[in-house]
Each structure stands twice: as structure tokens, then as C-alpha cells.
Amino acid sequence: MSNDELNKLLEAVANHEISVNDANGKLAGHETSSLGFANVDLDRTRRTGYPETIYCSGKTKEQILKIAQSIFSKESRVLCTRIDHDKAGYIQEFFQESTFYDNANCLVIGSKPAIDTKSYIAIVTAGTSDIPVAEEAAITAETFGNDVKRVYDVGVAGIHRLFAKLDIIQGAKVVVVIAGMEGALTSVVGGLVNKPVIAVPTSIGYGSNFNGLSALLTMLNSCSEGITVVNIDNGFGAGYSASVINHL
Amino acid sequence: MSNDELNKLLEAVANHEISVNDANGKLAGHETSSLGFANVDLDRTRRTGYPETIYCSGKTKEQILKIAQSIFSKESRVLCTRIDHDKAGYIQEFFQESTFYDNANCLVIGSKPAIDTKSYIAIVTAGTSDIPVAEEAAITAETFGNDVKRVYDVGVAGIHRLFAKLDIIQGAKVVVVIAGMEGALTSVVGGLVNKPVIAVPTSIGYGSNFNGLSALLTMLNSCSEGITVVNIDNGFGAGYSASVINHL
Amino acid sequence: MSNDELNKLLEAVANHEISVNDANGKLAGHETSSLGFANVDLDRTRRTGYPETIYCSGKTKEQILKIAQSIFSKESRVLCTRIDHDKAGYIQEFFQESTFYDNANCLVIGSKPAIDTKSYIAIVTAGTSDIPVAEEAAITAETFGNDVKRVYDVGVAGIHRLFAKLDIIQGAKVVVVIAGMEGALTSVVGGLVNKPVIAVPTSIGYGSNFNGLSALLTMLNSCSEGITVVNIDNGFGAGYSASVINHL
Amino acid sequence: MSNDELNKLLEAVANHEISVNDANGKLAGHETSSLGFANVDLDRTRRTGYPETIYCSGKTKEQILKIAQSIFSKESRVLCTRIDHDKAGYIQEFFQESTFYDNANCLVIGSKPAIDTKSYIAIVTAGTSDIPVAEEAAITAETFGNDVKRVYDVGVAGIHRLFAKLDIIQGAKVVVVIAGMEGALTSVVGGLVNKPVIAVPTSIGYGSNFNGLSALLTMLNSCSEGITVVNIDNGFGAGYSASVINHL
Amino acid sequence: MSNDELNKLLEAVANHEISVNDANGKLAGHETSSLGFANVDLDRTRRTGYPETIYCSGKTKEQILKIAQSIFSKESRVLCTRIDHDKAGYIQEFFQESTFYDNANCLVIGSKPAIDTKSYIAIVTAGTSDIPVAEEAAITAETFGNDVKRVYDVGVAGIHRLFAKLDIIQGAKVVVVIAGMEGALTSVVGGLVNKPVIAVPTSIGYGSNFNGLSALLTMLNSCSEGITVVNIDNGFGAGYSASVINHL
Amino acid sequence: MSNDELNKLLEAVANHEISVNDANGKLAGHETSSLGFANVDLDRTRRTGYPETIYCSGKTKEQILKIAQSIFSKESRVLCTRIDHDKAGYIQEFFQESTFYDNANCLVIGSKPAIDTKSYIAIVTAGTSDIPVAEEAAITAETFGNDVKRVYDVGVAGIHRLFAKLDIIQGAKVVVVIAGMEGALTSVVGGLVNKPVIAVPTSIGYGSNFNGLSALLTMLNSCSEGITVVNIDNGFGAGYSASVINHL
Amino acid sequence: MSNDELNKLLEAVANHEISVNDANGKLAGHETSSLGFANVDLDRTRRTGYPETIYCSGKTKEQILKIAQSIFSKESRVLCTRIDHDKAGYIQEFFQESTFYDNANCLVIGSKPAIDTKSYIAIVTAGTSDIPVAEEAAITAETFGNDVKRVYDVGVAGIHRLFAKLDIIQGAKVVVVIAGMEGALTSVVGGLVNKPVIAVPTSIGYGSNFNGLSALLTMLNSCSEGITVVNIDNGFGAGYSASVINHL
Amino acid sequence: MSNDELNKLLEAVANHEISVNDANGKLAGHETSSLGFANVDLDRTRRTGYPETIYCSGKTKEQILKIAQSIFSKESRVLCTRIDHDKAGYIQEFFQESTFYDNANCLVIGSKPAIDTKSYIAIVTAGTSDIPVAEEAAITAETFGNDVKRVYDVGVAGIHRLFAKLDIIQGAKVVVVIAGMEGALTSVVGGLVNKPVIAVPTSIGYGSNFNGLSALLTMLNSCSEGITVVNIDNGFGAGYSASVINHL
């Protein structure tokens, strides 16, 4: 809230144009649902455009359920990431409609949204093993109303596979490139498109790959322009950012 | 070029609808100016929307000049980054119009472009020492036709300074957040806006900052969503990506 | 023992004002209980104000039992940290009164102490997953006679959650801030209080979090002042130091 | 500001007990002096108990001067750290009273404060080469009104040197231990005192010391209790935190 | 494809000397078998001299089967690396002839090739524990038609063991040296042969070996000449490169 | 073999004072027992004073057995390190006399040797959890004929425990100090003895201990003199080196 | 020397078919020129096919001169690497014929050799800044009698620049790829050639490039096959290995 | 001081067999010379067998002088390490007899000691560039009365150079091996001698040598036995430890 807005709000209070309670709501009033172990951020849609997503790793199924119920009371759907088959099964029993995406480790509570943009997001992987991270990105983006086109296994060891799909990639409004090992695909794609490229390093590889460090450094140091990077294996983060850009 | 396009082009050749020379130009024909020590990528504007920028660190002033002349022969302006005062002075004598931006270490050859978008880019820094990186981002974005609003020195040690400028930040189409030390500003901004946030870690700090590693890891691991990251001190990369997004 | 005290003690021996045995006890006499595999430091309460705590990781249940019995022979309670359910159950059969704190992995042998200070310690976490580390800190502090107030899940992605609890935090004599991922909460809290802040990085996160390194570096490099840091996941260390400060 | 306080303030506005302007000041009104390149945090004393300190590394002497003048307009003294002889000389010409501490690289503008606590801070170093960091801590603490006792060059290679000064160390309300190389002094001191110990790793050493990493890890992993750690070479941070604790 | 070749091809199309379809095949026509989750690179033999190898780690047995069938439809044998006993057993049921190499974790589908070179590859290990990596290299090389001589457990702790086998090593056309721990064997061999040496660091060791980092750095920094290095535990890469060199 | 010795040997051959076979034995004749998967170094006792020890990690029980039999055919006892209970049981059935040391993970085949030196080795640990590494060192030294005195759990958190045992430590000919966490004990001991100190970092600890890196760096950077270091958890290496020194 | 050869030599001595002196020469007789500060390896040509190269970094010009004179007494040319302009000038005065290669920091004493192979080595760089490393590789290879073709500045940001030169690269017997930043060029080239590829990471870049670590990891983890790697900036090592392979 | 000795001393005091002053001297009486910035440890010779050495890096010439005078008042010679030419010249004017060792950066105040042992120390380097570290070790050992034999530039790239000097190395009582780059020489020497080997990694090298890390890891992970390691470039530490062992 800027100084100007603040001034106006306070004047409205002074002039009894707005009640103290309502002003309080406007000022501090970012809504929160306190569950003891969690303060669910029910105000997030208003603030950032998206409801809170539940990162399920390290949470018990009971904690996930309570947080999901709290969010679902205000939102038409809830995205749960990094959730395994067992926890998802437990949660699904409490909701009328939900879908578990096995290879993305994602659970979506509520109905699938309609696609609300004309443009699409291209999600590109270097190899077959990068697909789980790609699916996390894809499900995230689809849950937030985006049209997603998948282009999988087009790494630079056989670069003609990439060129064969180039028109799909170049037609997207934003491109997500997902690669492990040395992650070189990102730089090649970056040099061929005029749209934002979001790079996701994966922990696929061995030896001096150091659990994704190799691909991460490659992407951060890319000689191509227009590339930004998210955390290792962070498909959700890439899908989220791609959705924000695709909705601009 | 997709298989379909390729088929059509080859048929056109077979039908003499297009000359061999022209087809060659369309196929391989990404234009290059070979200077011996450099293959200038004169085709880049067509491919990625932007001409090649000259990264001047580690190049001699003579090399920079020749590359700049090669690009300027096709483009209306050339951006040179990481260029010091002496090299810039040498280059400027060979061009009619050019501007050296001292605190950004940038040289722009040619006239300043008009702003060609209605939306603007907000560039935010945590501290005073982050300003050179911020200016590199700002000059880059302005050279590519963007409107830039600067919000400097609003780090979280005095978080009210950030809130006072929040309306500027929230009004932008894309936000660049630049911070050294522990880089916490990024996460706070990320939780307050519904636009893409590009984070730039800087090497400002000492001790276990490890030349920007601390801020880099902070930004990659942010608990806030919608944040993507570029290399340490890479103001140019952030300005470039912000421009791509701002022009969507 | 200073030179002056030493002189006085030796004069007292020379003057037969104190027996050789007693002098020996005063000089070398830091009491130790030697168990073969362990030299239990029974003198620690006199020296540092607190009895020895048993760090149970890597010790057998039999070793823990013998050390606990040795300490309990001189102290009214014993704190065992990093102890799992099975080992705790084994130990509890040998003592009349004891409590196992499941989510803190702590066992307290003996009765709960009364709160012996007027001020309190605030223990703040960024997320739900940080709670086990926070509980280790809380149980430690409570076992040493402190009043603890818990403020959980107020990370900066929804910073209004923090502001809603700010009066609890600002009212404490010492604040413990516990965060994983990028740990940015520490810097924000550090800029808002005038009391010592002890930061605990946790290993919560993934990818380039590198098992807590990200949060550790953030906290060490904080742009806010008045912050000191303990080891990754070291809830005990934070609770201990907070207790020392709270008792000043 | 808590919800309760907010409610009361808004009611006071509604009841015209307080003007809109004054309420605005109380709400957003963390005072800031905007210098373009810096937003000086003039509200910090009220919030954290201490005015903003100027970290001079990477700032020009003109920037430092303007920030110093802005703070000095509200505070009775200003601390500048990491300032060299030349910059300090430039600044000193603009103020009536100031002192430059050569081996601490600190400049204090304004008069020396009286000691305002009965207890004192002990600042202990392992070696002679750690003294500059120790002096930064000492000048910081003294500028904030503390009594400081220095105990220098008592590293564990000759541990009797430490024991000879033990009564000074044990008599302090808070102990700052500063060590490079392997930093073992911290653990020994930690085992002998019942007061908070703040450890400062220094970059003194060579080879696998890795610019202070060795001492930093030692201190974070100390087997002694009651130790918290600040950044490598961060004498200011240690002096600041020690002052906060000493004033409790 | 060079500009000249391109010109000629296009002229041939224009002159109807070659059909559009055929030209397309020559231009883009790197053959690909798209399986949805994988784009099998069926063109690789023509391009690099070797068919695509299946790296099985992180792929399901069903995925491996489909890729293997796709490649086997065009090639006389398929090499599967990093495949365990169970997956291999599943695959073997679908092919008439195949061999599983237990200590190499390799499966070869199809018949064993004849040795097609006169020279041989020497594969040398420092210890017994390095043998699995060595066998991966050996099976790879043998599958590609090479004669392989194994020299195992000749590390420098008993350097006479190496000298006793020196004539086998010096007689090879290319030498693969495989070592864990400190990897010193590479430098000694490098100083005694006049043939290319390919070094493979293994993750054998403990403590500051850091999963092969120690041996990797040793090999990269070798004071001997003529040594090049592949990734930690990358027996396949070494066998492949050795085969390329042996076939020159 | 020096040039002089070589000349003399060759002259003896020329003069038929020694047979070709015997000369061959003297020259190349470092005896080796080739088992296919291993080249057992049967010459090592003559060369380094000690028979080859079997490092069992990563070897099958059958491999260990064959190597042990090969060595035992020439030596009166064989030391197997890093061997678990099951493998040891399998091996023990094939030898008349053998002892398995459970907490050292060592198996000694053959009879216990008499102590063959007057001086003794002191093995000192900081904590109870360091004992397994200490026992590996102790059994190694005892198997090589040394008298060993154990001083366990005397870490610096209670430094009086160390002083109480100082005469045992100072009376040794060589001191092995074993510590995890921050490893500070090494520096304190190093400052109090005039004998060689061998330091063994252990992987005991958590968080930023990084599996022993913290203690390793501490020991390498010790401000005390006369300290040398072996690999993390390398009790065998320390026991071996201590034995070499104790036998001087 | 193998056992068989040894036997034969000794029998020849016993039969007086060869003198003791000559046998000694054959056995130990690797020739060495001892300069006090250096043992010049004059036997290296016989053993590895190449004379010793002088790595000049960290040696005085007088030391370099003496070593060069010692080698030149037996060889027709001497290669000095990492030598600056001043040292080279000093050395050149002492030899009749020599050439200093400025941008390679190489000095070649003696005449340029004739090209002695029919095949050639392709040396490829990603950028202009990689040229000094490339020139070190090229001069090394040329000094050892190879034909070298340079392909500079064809990085993947403008991948058509690479394709335009592909026939030169594919025609080589061995390819050296030199790249800094993220080093992605290596993987693309590796997927397009059927010859050995030697990758050289350079320290060109900034931020998280970490002095070449980024490119090094990229190359070690390449998804393309047939790639081996040398140390960061090690143009000499690449040129040497390429020469060994080119001469096969 | 042990409990027994303590008892006896206290009884002697009680029986007036010893004065309080004298007892005090015996108990606390580790002599110290306090210079304000330094507590010189004048008791060290009695405790560890050697006087305190002055590590001059980071000390002013005035500080070094005062410490040297303080030690020289009790000892017949003083060793100053890491001292440059200028500081050494300043110090030398204040003492009658002193020697500056240029390539060791050592200053010895007082006369050269006689050799006081029959055995000798062998100091071995891999290359010419390692000599400064070797000389620091040699001068240290000679200053403490040892006979030193130097064996320089015998690295494994030309391993016959090592074998030619093997009798010197094998004849020593303790061997110091000094190597940079990959440090493989240590393992080879370790497999050939039956005496303690002290390894010193040096920072000689480039690229992934990482300032000596490569050689350090090699030495810590050596497959040879009987090797212990000191810090990177720590010639003094190796010379000191070698002297302690040589005097056993």
C-alpha cells in the first residue's frame, strides 16, 4: 500500500466513509487461516494472482489434508506437488473431484480449468529421464489455465531432433527447457527463439554432475541471451513462472 | 525450419519458383560477417528479435571496433557491455553518435531509441552498491526500447523503504530485483507481486558471501513463486530478458 | 583460575588453612565420571551453568543409559537430544519420571522445571517443515527453565503472516528464527527487532539448497544487524544459547 | 504493529483523536531520507535501538558523506566501517568532531559516548593477525556505549596464555572470540564460560584455510555449547550483537 | 552440410536430378523414431559411426524395450548400459540372441561382433574395486568390434606390478586407465607410453575422496602429457572414445 | 635399486657369481601373486616393512578369502579392515586362528603378535562416537606389534578431562588424535606434547560438518605445530603411520 | 621392461654378448640431465615420442634458459609454454633461430618442423576470447609436425556459424573444441562428428562460471559421446593429445 | 600436570618444602612475555621441545622485531618464516648474526646449529616450481639441528628420475614429499619406503588445480600407506614434524 493510498484510507476512516473494521481488513487484512502448524495464506490470489500451492514433501498426509481443505474453502482448485501415490490416495477420499498425475507427482483437487489464453507454453526436454520434472511443470501450467505443448527428448547429441520440432518451440509465447547432464540444450534453444526461455536443470546424470550442479551452472552461464533459470528439478517453479508470463 | 517448410522450399526450387541462390540464403543463409577472430552474427535480429550485443571484457579495443562497425552496418544501434572508459573513448571517435554510461560500463552506438511499449520495467536494488549492475540492466532495457523505472536501496533491513515504493513495483509488467549479500529482497518482492520477477545476484558482500554465491543460492531457493534467476552480476542478461517479456 | 586465585590457594595450603586433598579438588578437581567409553563431565553445571546434554546420535541405547544415570546421580534432570522412539522407550523404563517429545526427538529425564525468568524466548519458523528443528530448540529452552512462545509458518512468501505476529516477536528478550530454503525470514525479522536474533538454517529444501547450505549462507551474510548463526538443523544449540541470553 | 494496536489507531482516527497525518506517520511513517542512490533509514533507532551504520566498502567518498550528513542530522554520532584512510580524511573535514581508528578501519563522527552499562564485553583473539577484526568489533561496541576489555593473542597452541586471562573472560557479560586458521580457541572458551559466546572466523591463514572457511566451519560445528557465529571477518556484526546482549 | 554442398544439392533439385523427397531426406533427413517419451536417433551410425546406446538408469524396463526394438530394427546389435539383472532379464525374453554382462551392468542384444582392427585397446585398473567400471569400458569396446586386453590391479602402491605388465600396455594403440582413491596410476602410465591415454576416475574410496572428485582432479591436473579424462565412473565413455581412436 | 647396486649386480651376472634367474628375481623380482581380479603384493614386507593389508569394502567375501590365503601363505598374520560381521564369519571358517574386532570392523587372521617396542602409542578421541575409528587405529597398531594406550572422550568442551590424562599422552612416542565435529582437540594436544601427532578427522557431526570436512580443515590449518593429517575416518592409516614411527 | 626382456638381457650379460655398462644403460639408462634445480628428462622422446616441453610459469628466465639449452643439445626444437614477452626475449638472444607466438604465450626454439601427416587437426572455439588457449593448442600441435585448421567463434548462440564450417570439422582426424562460459559447443560438435573430440574448458566468463568450473563440468557430463576432457585453459595438453592421435 | 604430580606439589607446599612463589611458577608458570599485541610463548621449548617460530605474514616489521627480541632473550636462535626481503633486512640490523634464505622466505637469527642426529631427512620435490616450499621445509629442519638431503624435480612424468635417487630416499629416517599439480609422486614414494612419509601439497598448477586442492586430495586419499599430510604450501609444518620424528 503506497503512502497516497494510505492517506486516502485514513481520511475515509476519519470521515466515517469506511468503518474501522473494514479499514483494518484493508490494511493488515491479508487473510490467513491459522492451523497451528501452518498459517495458510488465503490472500495470495488477490496479491499474486494465484492461490497457495501445497509443497507436500516433509508434510504428513493429515497436515496436507487440513491445508488443502482450508485453501479449497476459498478456491476452486488446489495444486499439491511432490506428493506420492499413498498420500494422494488418502487425500482424494475427502474430495469429490481430484486427479493424481503419477509421473508428475502432482495432485489436483477440483475440476480441470479451461484454457484461458490463446498463446501456449512449450515444454522441452533433453532426454527421457527429464520427463518427470517436465510433467510437474506441465501440470502446474495446465492447472493455472495454460495450453501446454510438450516436446520431449530432443537433446543436442542428435540435434536434428530439435530442428524437426523447432516450429512448435518458436511458436510458443514462452519456452521451458528442461535438461540434466550438461544441459547444453538450453543454449541452443536460446539462440533460436525470440521469446522468454525458462531453464530447469535436472539432477539426471552421474559422477561430476553433482546432483544437477553441472546443468545448473551451464544454464546460468549460457552464452545465449533471454534465458533465466530456476532451481534444480524445480518443474513447479518453471510452470508457475511460465504461466505468469503466458498470461501477460 | 520445420520439415513442412523445408518440403515447400525444395518444391519451389524444383519448380523454379525460387532461385538456387535464394533458397541457399533461406536455408543456410543466416548471415555472418567473418572477421577472422570473430564470426559476427548479423542474422540475430531476424532470429531472436535483437542484434548481437558486444561483450567487451577480454577483447581488445581494435577487435571491439571492428565487430561494432560490422554490426552497425546493418543495425541502427549497437550495445557494448563491460567496456571501460578508455576503450569506450577509443570507439566513440569512429562513430557520429554514441553515449558512454559510466556507472553501467555500457557504450551505446547510435541514437537512443524511442520507448515502444506502454508498460514499464521496474528495476529494484537492495543497496547502493548494487547500482552498477542495475544500471547495466537499465541501459540494456532502454537501448531495446523499454520504459524503465528505478527503485534503488530498498533492502529488507529497513523493509518500510520497500513498502513505500510498492505501487511502482506492483505497476510494472516485469520486475528485476538486484541484490548482493544474502539477497533476501527477492523473496519478499516475489511474495507481493503478480508479475514475472527476474532476480540478479550480485557479488557485493564479503566473507562467506563467496563472490555472489550466497545471493545466487538464496534466489534459486526462494520460497516465493514466479522468480527466475540469471548469473551473478549479469545485469545485461536481466535487462535483455525483461525486455523480451515487456515486449510480449 | 587466575594467578591471584592460585597464589591465594597455594598460600592457604602452605598455611594449612586448606587440606591438600581439598586444594587438589579445587585445582584439578573438575569432576568426571569415567565410564570407559565416555568421560562424563559432572563439573559442567558449576562451570557453564548447565549440565551435560546427551547427544544420542551414534550412541547405543546402553551407552546412553549409563551416561544418563551418571548425570542424573548429580542433576535433577537430563536432556537427551537426537534420540528416536525406540531408544527413548528403552531408557524410560529405568527412570521414574521422563517425557519423550516425539516431534523434537528429545527425551527429558526428571520433572519439568518451573519457569525461572520473567522474560520469554520467541521461536519463529518460516515453514511447517521447520517445526522439528524448532521443537528441539523449544524443548531445550523449556528444560532449562525458560518461557517459550512459538510463532510457526510465517515465511516471507506471505509476509503479512509475519506482521500479524510481530508484537509477540518484538516482546521477546531473544528471538530464534528457523528457516530452510533461502532463509530470507531471518533478515526481515532482524530489521524489525531490537533484541538478539539467533538464526538456525534448516536442511529443508531441494536442488541447490545443498542440504541447508543455502539458508546457512543467507543467514551469515544477512544485511540486517544483530543476527548470529548456529549450525544447520541445530535446534539444540539455538535453544541453549537463547537460554543463556534469556537468563542474563 | 499488531492487530490490536492497529484497531486502536484507526479508532483514534475515526474519533478525530489523532489527525490523519499523524496516523499516517505512525503507520507507514518509518522515516526515510531519499538521496537517489540511497534510502537512508532514519527510523532505525526507534525500531532496532541503533542508528544505521555506514558500510563504506564500494561507496564513493561523496556518497558516504551525504549518507553520513543525513544520519548525523538526527543522531548524535555515526559509525562508518570498512573505510580507508583517504576516504576518512575527506569525510572528517566536514564534521567538527570525529575520530579515525586506523587498525579498525572505522570512522566515528561525533563525540565518544559514555559507557552506559555496568557489565563489560570481552573481546578475545587467537593471534596477533586477528587484531584488525577485533578492533572493528571493539570500536563498534564502544561507539554503542559499551565497556570493552581486550584479550589478544591467546590461541590454543599455548593454552596457558588463555588460562592466565580466564578471569577477565569469565567476568564478562558476553564474550566475542575471534580466530583464523582452525579457530579452535572458540571451542575451548565455549567450554569454560557460562555467558553467550559470539564467534568470528577470520580469513587469516593459507592453503586449505580457503579464506576463512576453515575457521567458519570449526565454529559452526563446535562441540561446546552456547556459541553462535557471524560472517568471516565480520567484526562489526559481532560488536553489534554483543552490544545488544550487553544492554539487555 | 557446407555451403558448397548445399548449393550443389539445390541445383540438383532445380535440375530435377534428385527428387524433392530425396533432397529433404538429405537435408533434414536425419532419421528419428518417435516413441512419445523418446526420439530415437536412428541416424547416428551414419553421422558418428556408432548406433545410439541405451543408458538405462532412470528408464523403465518397458521404455528400454521399446527403444531397443526401435534401434534393433535398423542395427545388428544394441548396447544397453547401467542395466540391472532384473531389467536385463525382462528385455532378454524379447530377443533371440543377447548377453548380460553381470559385473559390467551391460546387456548386448544381438550377436557378438568380429574384431575388426589389428591393434588393441589396453584397459588398466589400479585396484580390484575398479573392475566394474573397467568391464563397462571393455564390453563397450568389444561390442564396437575392438580387441581388448585387460590389465587389472596394478596400482602404484606396488609399482612393480605395473612394470611387469608394461609391455602389454605399451603395445596398445590406446590405453584406458581406471583408478579411484587418488588416481596416481594415470600419471605414471602417462609418462611411460607414447599412445593416447584416456583416464577414468572412479568413485572408489572414502572420506575426502568425495565420490570420485579426488581422482578426477588428479587426472585433470596430471603432470604427464597425452592424458584426457572422462566423467567419474564413465566406463562407457572411455570405451567409446577408445574405440573411435582404435578405429582411426 | 641405485646405479651402483645395478652395476654390481650386472657384473656379478657377467662373472657368473649369480645366476640369471636369481638376478632377475633381484631386479624385477618383487613377488606378486596374480589372482586374475587382484595382483597380491607379496613383496611388500621386504619393501615397506609390512605385509599388504586387505581393504574389504567393495570386495566379495570370496575375493577377500583368496587374497587372504595368498598373503597368509607367506606371512604369519593378515589384517582385514572395513569388514563386516558376515564376511568375517565366512573368512574365519577357513583359518585355524583369527579374531574379529566388532567395533573396529577388523579381522586379524593368525595369532596376536608380541609387543616388540618399549615405547607406546597413545590413541586419543574427542568423543564416544569417534571410538570405532580409534579402534581401527588401535587394532592396526597392535597387529603390527605396538603397545597402545587408549584415552577416549576427552574433547575440549570439558578440557579438564584432557588434562587429567595428560601424562599418558605426553609419555607416548607418537600420539594419534581422533575427532569429529570441529576437531579442536588436535590443536590443544599439539600445543602440549613434544612428539609427533597424527590427526584423524572423523565424519561424526551434522549440518555444515559436511561428512568430516570441517574436522579435516581444522586439522590441516592447526595453529599448533608437529601435526600431520590422514584422510577422514582413516583409522587404519593413522595406526599404520604411528606404527612406522613407533618402530623407528 | 617385461620379465621376458629382462631375462634375455641378463642372459646376454651372462654370455658376455653385451657389456655390463651397456646393460646398465638399457636397464636404468633413461637419460637425465641434472641441473640441481631440475632433472631434465632427455629420454622422453624415446619413451613417449616427444621431447620434454618447458612449462615456464613460476620458473626464472635463467632456469628456463638452462633447461632449454639442455634439451636443445639433444633435440632439434624446444617448445616453451606459458612464457611472457620479457622472458621470451631474454631466451631468444641465446639461440640462432626461435619464434615467439604472442597470443599463444609460446616460444619455439629451433626451426619450424615440416608437416609429417596427411590428416589434419581442427581446432574450434566458441568465442573470440577463447583464442589464446586455442593458439597454445595450435602452436603445440604445429611444433609437433601437425597440420592445423582453425575454426574460431562458432559458439551455439548463433549455431548456423558452426554449420557453415561443419565440413572442415568433419574432415579432421581429431577435433579440439575450446569453450568457456557454459561450454555447450562441445556437446553439439560431439553429436556431429565420428572422430575423437578433445574438449578444453576455458576460464572465460564471470559470476557462477567460477574460473572455468562451469565449462569443465559441462564437458565432463556431455550427453554426446566420443568426448574426452583436459584441464581448464590447458591448450598445450589438448594440442599434445591431438598430435598423439593424429600421428596414429 | 597429572593428578599425582599435582598431589606431590601441593604436599610439598604444605610441608614448606617449596615456596608458594615457586609452586606458582611450576603450576601456572608457563612463561609468557606480553607485548600488548602478542603474548610470546617463552615456555614452548620446555613443553614441545622447540621455541616459538614467528610466522611473519600479516605482521609489521616492528611487531616481528619485538617478538624476535623477546624470544631471542631466552633462546639461542629464532626462526622467522614467510618473511620478505625488506622486512628481513630491517630485522637483521638489530642482531649480530642472522641469515636470510631468499628462496625459502626464511630468516634465521643467531648462529647455525650443529647437526645433532645421525640420521637424515630426505626432502623430495616433484618439480622445480615446488622448490620454495621445499626450502622452507629444509631451512626449518636445519635450524632445528637436522641433516637434510635434497632430491628435487623427480616427478612421475619421468619416473626413472625418481628411481635413480631411490637409495637416498630409502636411506632417510623420514621423507618429506612435496608436489603440486596432481601430487602423484607421494603415492609412488609411499609404496617404496618403510619410513614415515610427510606429504606437502603445493599450490603449483592451474585450472582445476584450485590452488592446491587437487594435490591435497591426492595425498589424503593415497592408496599407499604410511603417508600423513600437512596444509597446502606448509613447508614449515613438514620440516617441523620431520624434525620431531628425526629426533625420536
Side-chain angles (χ1 to χ4, degrees), chain F residues 53-70:
Chain F
T53 293
I54 309 174
Y55 175 74
C56 300
S57 178
K59 297 200 178 75
T60 66
K61 61 189 178 187
E62 292 81 8
Q63 289 177 325
I64 298 166
L65 177 62
K66 283 190 191 152
I67 298 174
Q69 286 170 329
S70 170

Side-chain angles (χ1 to χ4, degrees), chain F residues 7 14 18 28 48 55 113 123 159 161 164-166 170 179 181-182 194-195 197 202 212 216-217 220 242 244:
Chain F
N7 262 337
I18 178 172
T48 69
Y55 175 74
I123 297 185
I159 205 168
R161 301 179 302 183
K165 302 287 177 70
L166 206 50
Q170 288 178 331
M181 300 178 112
E182 97 286 36
N194 59 359
K195 295 291 162 31
V197 174
T202 73
L216 173 62
L217 292 183
L220 286 169
V244 172

Side-chain angles (χ1 to χ4, degrees), chain E residues 43-117:
Chain E
D43 178 63
R44 197 169 295 183
T45 302
R46 191 192 60 77
R47 214 169 64 244
T48 69
Y50 294 95
E52 185 170 347
T53 293
I54 310 175
Y55 175 76
C56 300
S57 179
K59 297 202 178 75
T60 65
K61 59 189 180 187
E62 291 82 7
Q63 290 177 324
I64 298 166
L65 177 62
K66 284 192 190 151
I67 299 173
Q69 286 170 330
S70 171
I71 299 175
F72 200 64
S73 70
K74 287 210 34 170
E75 305 283 346
S76 55
R77 71 188 58 81
V78 182
L79 172 61
C80 307
T81 63
R82 305 281 162 117
I83 189 167
D84 61 32
H85 194 273
D86 287 351
K87 286 179 182 172
Y90 172 84
I91 305 293
Q92 288 187 283
E93 292 188 11
F94 293 84
F95 295 94
Q96 234 174 344
E97 185 173 2
S98 70
T99 315
F100 178 60
Y101 297 89
D102 202 8
N103 57 355
N105 289 312
C106 286
L107 173 70
V108 180
I109 299 167
S111 62
K112 195 166 183 171
I115 292 174
D116 59 10
T117 59

Side-chain angles (χ1 to χ4, degrees), chain A residues 182 187 208-209 214 218 221 223, chain G residues 182 187 208-209 214 218 221 223:
Chain A
E182 96 286 36
S187 297
S208 62
N209 172 59
S214 170
T218 296
N221 288 285
C223 58
Chain G
E182 96 287 35
S187 296
S208 63
N209 172 61
S214 170
T218 296
N221 288 285
C223 58

Side-chain angles (χ1 to χ4, degrees), chain D residues 52-98:
Chain D
E52 187 171 347
T53 293
I54 309 175
Y55 175 74
C56 300
S57 179
K59 297 202 178 74
T60 65
K61 59 188 178 188
E62 291 81 8
Q63 289 177 325
I64 298 166
L65 177 62
K66 282 191 192 153
I67 299 174
Q69 286 170 329
S70 170
I71 299 175
F72 200 62
S73 70
K74 287 210 33 169
E75 304 284 345
S76 55
R77 72 188 57 82
V78 183
L79 173 60
C80 307
T81 63
R82 305 281 163 118
I83 189 167
D84 61 31
H85 193 273
D86 287 352
K87 285 179 181 172
Y90 173 84
I91 306 292
Q92 288 187 283
E93 293 188 11
F94 294 84
F95 295 93
Q96 233 174 343
E97 187 172 0
S98 70

Side-chain angles (χ1 to χ4, degrees), chain A residues 54 61-80 83 87-99 107-111:
Chain A
I54 309 175
K61 59 187 179 188
E62 290 83 6
Q63 289 177 325
I64 299 167
L65 177 62
K66 285 192 190 152
I67 299 174
Q69 287 170 328
S70 171
I71 299 175
F72 200 63
S73 70
K74 287 210 35 171
E75 304 283 345
S76 55
R77 72 189 57 81
V78 182
L79 172 61
C80 307
I83 190 167
K87 286 180 182 172
Y90 172 84
I91 306 292
Q92 289 187 282
E93 293 187 12
F94 294 84
F95 295 94
Q96 232 174 346
E97 186 172 3
S98 70
T99 315
L107 173 70
V108 180
I109 299 167
S111 61

